[in-house]
């Protein structure tokens, strides 16, 4: 009889730890203080994970499996994986522990010590729910001077024969990003996100979360995430039917009051195991072949999953644990309170923080070009920014969060993931959103109290990091512009930035 441990983001029947499961084995699942509080996750994220875990356990039992499910408020709950495995071994006398490798390095190192700590053998299996193994990624990366997603993605397209013709990529191009920058239009009719009705299990979990985690960030209600595989598949189908066709056009667009836009909102389901990445890709590809969605939308969507998702995971496991220590710009400023309260005059930041608080979700361009861009320009401490991103989003696990934050937004890894920092001034946000119209600041004003802070902070960021960025060939154009500025202009940028950052650190409403 084997003890098979299933973690909260391993809710897949096809997971390697269950590949040879028998009805005599014991499947262990546990809601843990350690996992719910090592960062203070958003209330919706905890409710989502616990409810999805409880539904998964229910479905396993319905199929005749033995499940030991330890609820959060069980008086004997030890609060840790090791404690729960030891208790289960004592009570049930299993002769081996089987589990799939976790998605976070801190747990992998802890699990690797288990053979010494436990009296039975421990089988730690690969997580084969991803499309590129960590070994294959390491092999691909080996000997390359630069790791670039685009080249990795092309190999993945070939390997899985996705959107391929006999002589190359369908449509003749690998990447249709240049067609995916449509500005938001007034009166755009954006379909609502998928909304599941909470059942009794979810309602019980919500009461538990409210009682046990009252001081955690975020709104618990309304709760409408899918918590079963059937619901997650329905959410995927709804995306394919109603939003995929515009996914490409409006991929970078932001509209006030439209948190969901034409994105898929399935990342949290893939990351916890309710959906399999290949099935999501194949459904999108089928929609293209059926004429239900254009190539720029389908290729763009598939690139996010087959390209970016696999690429960031590869980088995480290739570079950890050192990756977490990276701080290329030596950024030290503490995370300002506006990331928790949304209390700021910058309308873009207010909208994105408020929506994050309400939904445990923000779409990619909000995470990257608003919240992330500000963190980069303001020189926020990578540890604090990473902690924030890891706890506020329902889809956040370190393997995917850390490379996006330290690599993509903060350039804290010095260019492992991206070839240059994604820094931008207010004109980018003004172009891609309608946020600036109702902002206290003006995106067209460059200096002074009415100027958009992104404008002067952008140049201040370049000036501050001149020594680290000037030699980057992709930054030459920007430094040429900086060099053409006269002393008066440079001084105004410097003074505005110091005034703004000082006020922000003093917790004034900036
Ligand atoms: P869509 O826009 O519909 O995209 C489809 C899918 O592609 C996503 O569900 C996701 O699985 C994948 N994808 C897209 N972009 C990325 C990316 N950059 N990295 C990895 N996968 C990607 N994604 C997470 O899953 N967890 C995180 O903790 C997370 N943190 C992020 C932090 C920052 C600073 C940034 C810039 C991005 C982060 N992302 C993260 C990536 C991306 O923003 C989310 O995957 C996406 O917003 C989830 O919403 P969606 O399902 O509607 O995605
Ligand atoms: C995110 C999360 C939370 C909030 N709670 C639990 C839990 O109580 N029990 C559990 O097994 N998993 C939980 N998870 C998911 C884990 O944190 C996740 O498995 C690791 O971070 C590895 O990716
Ligand atoms: Fe954001 Fe600047 Fe636009 Fe205000 S003016 S919404 S701060 S980009």
């Amino acid at each position: 009889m084997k003890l098979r441990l299933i973690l909260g983001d391993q809710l897949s029947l096809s997971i390697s730890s269950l590949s040879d499961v028998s009805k005599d084995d014991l499947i262990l699942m546990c809601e843990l203080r350690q996992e719910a509080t090592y960062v203070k996750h958003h209330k919706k994220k905890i409710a989502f994970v616990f409810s999805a875990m409880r539904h998964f356990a229910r479905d396993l039992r319905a199929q005749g499996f033995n499940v030991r499910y330890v609820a959060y408020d069980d008086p004997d709950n030890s609060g840790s994986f090791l404690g729960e495995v030891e208790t289960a071994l004592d009570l049930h006398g299993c002769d081996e522990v089987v589990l799939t490798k976790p998605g976070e390095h801190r747990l992998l190192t802890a699990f690797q010590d288990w053979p010494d700590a436990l009296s039975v053998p421990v089988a730690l299996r690969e997580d084969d729910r991803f499309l590129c193994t960590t070994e294959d990624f390491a092999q691909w990366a080996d000997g390359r001077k630069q790791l670039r997603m685009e080249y990795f993605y092309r190999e993945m397209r070939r390997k899985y024969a996705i959107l391929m013709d006999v002589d190359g990529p369908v449509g003749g191009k690998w990447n249709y990003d240049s067609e995916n920058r449509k500005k938001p239009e007034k009166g755009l009719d954006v379909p609502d996100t998928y909304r599941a009705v909470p059942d009794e299990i979810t309602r019980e979990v919500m009461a538990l979360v409210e009682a046990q985690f009252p001081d955690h960030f975020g709104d618990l209600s309304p709760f409408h995430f899918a918590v079963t595989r059937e619901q997650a598949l329905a959410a995927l189908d709804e995306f394919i039917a109603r939003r995929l066709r515009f996914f490409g056009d409006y991929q970078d667009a932001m509209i006030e009051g439209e948190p969901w836009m034409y994105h898929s909102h399935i990342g949290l389901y893939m990351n916890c195991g309710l959906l399999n990445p290949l099935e999501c890709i194949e459904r999108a590809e089928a929609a293209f072949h059926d004429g239900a969605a254009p190539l720029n939308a389908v290729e763009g969507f598939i690139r996010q999953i087959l390209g970016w998702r696999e690429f960031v995971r590869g980088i995480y496991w290739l570079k950890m644990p050192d990756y977490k220590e990276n701080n290329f710009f030596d950024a030290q400023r503490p995370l300002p309170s506006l990331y928790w309260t949304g209390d700021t005059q910058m309308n873009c930041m207010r909208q994105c923080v408020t929506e994050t608080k309400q939904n445990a979700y923000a779409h990619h361009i909000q995470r990257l070009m608003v919240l992330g861009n500000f963190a980069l320009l303001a020189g926020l401490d990578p540890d604090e920014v990473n902690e924030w991103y890891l706890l506020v989003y329902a889809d956040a696990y370190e393997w995917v969060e850390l490379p996006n934050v330290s690599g993509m937004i903060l350039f804290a890894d010095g260019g492992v993931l991206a070839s240059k920092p994604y820094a931008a001034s207010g004109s980018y946000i003004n172009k891609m959103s309608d946020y600036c119209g109702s902002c206290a600041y003006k995106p067209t004003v460059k200096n002074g109290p009415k100027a958009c802070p992104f404008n002067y902070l952008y140049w201040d960021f370049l000036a501050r990091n001149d020594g680290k960025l000037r030699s980057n060939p992709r930054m030459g154009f920007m430094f040429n512009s900086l060099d053409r500025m006269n002393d008066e202009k440079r001084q105004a940028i410097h003074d505005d930035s110091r005034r703004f950052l000082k006020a922000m650190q003093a917790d004034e409403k900036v």
Side-chain angles (χ1 to χ4, degrees):
M1 177 189 191
K2 295 187 196 325
L3 179 65
R4 298 177 185 269
L5 175 65
I6 296 289
L7 312 185
D9 56 354
Q10 299 185 339
L11 309 180
S12 319
L13 275 177
S14 60
I15 195 154
S16 56
S17 53
L18 295 180
S19 61
D20 51 353
V21 66
S22 90
K23 300 266 158 88
D24 298 329
D25 291 340
L26 181 67
I27 301 174
L28 173 65
M29 298 178 69
C30 32
E31 297 172 0
L32 299 175
R33 187 177 168 73
Q34 170 195 295
E35 292 310 301
T37 61
Y38 80 98
V39 292
K40 291 175 85 172
H41 300 288
H42 194 298
K43 287 180 190 159
K44 259 197 179 99
K45 179 179 181 183
I46 302 180
F48 166 63
V49 174
F50 284 8
S51 180
M53 285 174 70
R54 289 185 186 198
H55 282 90
F56 189 71
R58 180 199 65 182
D59 295 346
L60 285 172
R61 284 190 181 122
Q63 290 183 45
F65 291 107
N66 264 324
V67 181
R68 177 176 165 79
Y69 193 94
V70 184
Y72 193 81
D73 49 5
D74 183 329
D76 296 327
N77 188 330
S78 67
S80 76
F81 285 119
L82 184 59
E84 286 315 307
V85 167
E86 282 172 334
T87 306
L89 288 176
D90 282 350
L91 291 175
H92 300 274
C94 309
D95 51 21
E96 186 181 4
V97 176
V98 179
L99 72 160
T100 293
K101 283 186 180 170
E104 300 197 347
H105 189 270
R106 71 186 164 93
L107 282 179
L108 179 64
T109 50
F111 293 165
Q112 280 167 341
D113 288 340
W114 282 8
D116 293 333
L118 298 172
S119 53
V120 296
V122 178
L124 194 54
R125 297 182 178 171
E126 290 305 318
D127 190 344
D128 55 12
R129 296 173 300 168
F130 290 87
L131 300 169
C132 181
T133 65
T134 50
E135 289 75 18
D136 283 353
F137 189 84
Q139 217 169 13
W140 174 79
D142 191 36
R144 280 174 199 262
K145 253 178 43 206
Q146 288 190 321
L147 306 181
R148 291 296 162 253
M149 195 288 295
E150 183 63 29
Y151 299 109
F152 169 77
Y153 165 61
R154 291 178 190 181
E155 290 203 11
M156 294 293 282
R157 285 266 298 274
R158 285 194 196 95
K159 181 173 170 191
Y160 284 90
I162 302 290
L163 290 178
M164 295 299 290
D165 280 336
V166 270
D167 46 356
V170 167
K173 283 201 300 181
W174 290 101
N175 182 318
Y176 290 83
D177 226 12
S178 57
E179 294 171 28
N180 289 356
R181 291 181 193 138
K182 216 165 163 180
K183 293 176 197 169
E185 289 152 18
K186 274 206 165 28
L188 210 58
D189 187 15
V190 186
D192 194 9
T193 187
Y194 171 83
R195 288 178 193 270
V197 178
D199 64 2
E200 203 181 325
I201 294 179
T202 299
R203 288 198 302 273
E204 253 181 44
V205 165
M206 289 173 74
L208 177 122
V209 170
E210 203 63 87
Q212 300 279 354
F213 308 99
D215 59 336
H216 282 218
F217 176 75
D219 301 349
L220 181 57
S221 298
F223 184 93
H224 49 73
F225 291 145
V227 289
T228 63
R229 173 154 168 81
E230 290 65 36
Q231 290 177 340
L233 280 169
L236 171 63
D237 285 345
E238 208 173 282
F239 163 70
I240 302 272
R242 301 179 65 197
R243 291 194 300 275
L244 174 60
R245 77 190 81 146
F246 295 120
F247 176 89
D249 287 355
Y250 297 110
Q251 198 178 344
D252 289 0
M254 298 173 278
I255 301 180
E256 194 165 327
E258 295 287 359
W260 309 103
M261 291 301 292
Y262 292 95
H263 294 267
S264 65
H265 329 135
I266 57 162
L268 73 171
Y269 309 134
M270 275 190 281
N271 294 354
C272 81
L274 293 180
L275 292 179
N276 172 288
L278 197 55
E279 75 190 340
C280 301
I281 290 169
E282 283 171 351
R283 285 188 193 209
E285 189 181 19
F288 167 68
H289 291 304
D290 294 348
L295 187 54
N296 70 311
V298 173
E299 186 282 317
F301 176 70
I302 287 176
R303 178 166 14 98
Q304 307 311 312
I305 300 178
L306 190 60
W308 279 112
R309 186 171 187 270
E310 297 291 329
F311 182 70
V312 301
R313 175 175 183 263
I315 291 207
Y316 178 79
W317 288 111
L318 188 68
K319 299 290 179 185
M320 278 300 275
D322 298 348
Y323 200 78
K324 220 177 159 152
E325 309 308 320
N326 285 328
N327 190 355
F328 181 68
F329 295 124
D330 196 25
Q332 305 283 350
R333 191 162 278 111
L335 192 83
S337 62
L338 66 91
Y339 274 83
W340 304 110
T341 61
D343 192 16
T344 163
Q345 304 194 64
M346 293 176 283
N347 190 40
C348 54
M349 291 291 284
R350 184 166 63 234
Q351 297 303 325
C352 294
V353 171
T354 305
E355 290 177 1
T356 297
K357 188 164 170 285
Q358 288 168 343
N359 303 319
Y361 178 85
H363 63 73
H364 186 66
I365 221 70
Q366 295 177 306
R367 296 187 205 194
L368 178 67
M369 297 311 292
V370 179
L371 298 160
N373 187 22
F374 185 81
L376 172 74
L377 300 186
L380 303 186
D381 180 339
D383 285 342
E384 298 204 16
V385 181
N386 271 300
E387 184 178 350
W388 186 83
Y389 273 97
L390 186 57
L391 73 85
V392 301
Y393 294 117
D395 53 36
Y397 301 90
E398 198 180 75
W399 65 266
V400 53
E401 173 277 327
L402 181 67
N404 271 297
V405 170
S406 280
M408 198 180 294
I409 65 168
L410 297 181
F411 204 72
D413 64 2
V416 173
L417 185 133
S419 53
K420 73 174 185 60
Y422 276 86
S425 69
S427 63
Y428 176 87
I429 297 173
N430 190 29
K431 192 170 120 205
M432 295 315 301
S433 78
D434 66 355
Y435 293 152
C436 300
S438 41
C439 183
Y441 299 110
K442 295 284 155 261
T444 47
V445 180
K446 308 291 181 204
N447 285 105
K450 279 279 149 205
C452 166
F454 284 86
N455 288 344
Y456 46 78
L457 287 175
Y458 173 78
W459 293 111
D460 188 61
F461 163 75
L462 290 188
R464 262 186 353 249
N465 296 299
D466 190 318
K468 289 180 173 156
L469 288 177
R470 187 175 284 271
S471 59
N472 183 322
R474 297 197 59 203
M475 302 294 285
F477 180 72
M478 298 304 160
F479 278 99
N480 285 343
S481 304
L482 184 65
D483 291 344
R484 281 200 300 274
M485 290 178 186
N486 61 30
D487 289 349
E488 201 185 336
K489 173 78 180 161
R490 281 167 167 267
Q491 191 62 44
I493 287 167
H494 181 269
D495 293 348
D496 282 334
S497 301
R498 298 289 86 65
R499 169 186 50 78
F500 177 89
L501 293 171
K502 198 169 156 215
M504 181 179 85
Q505 265 183 278
D507 227 2
E508 289 170 28
K509 183 167 174 172
V510 290

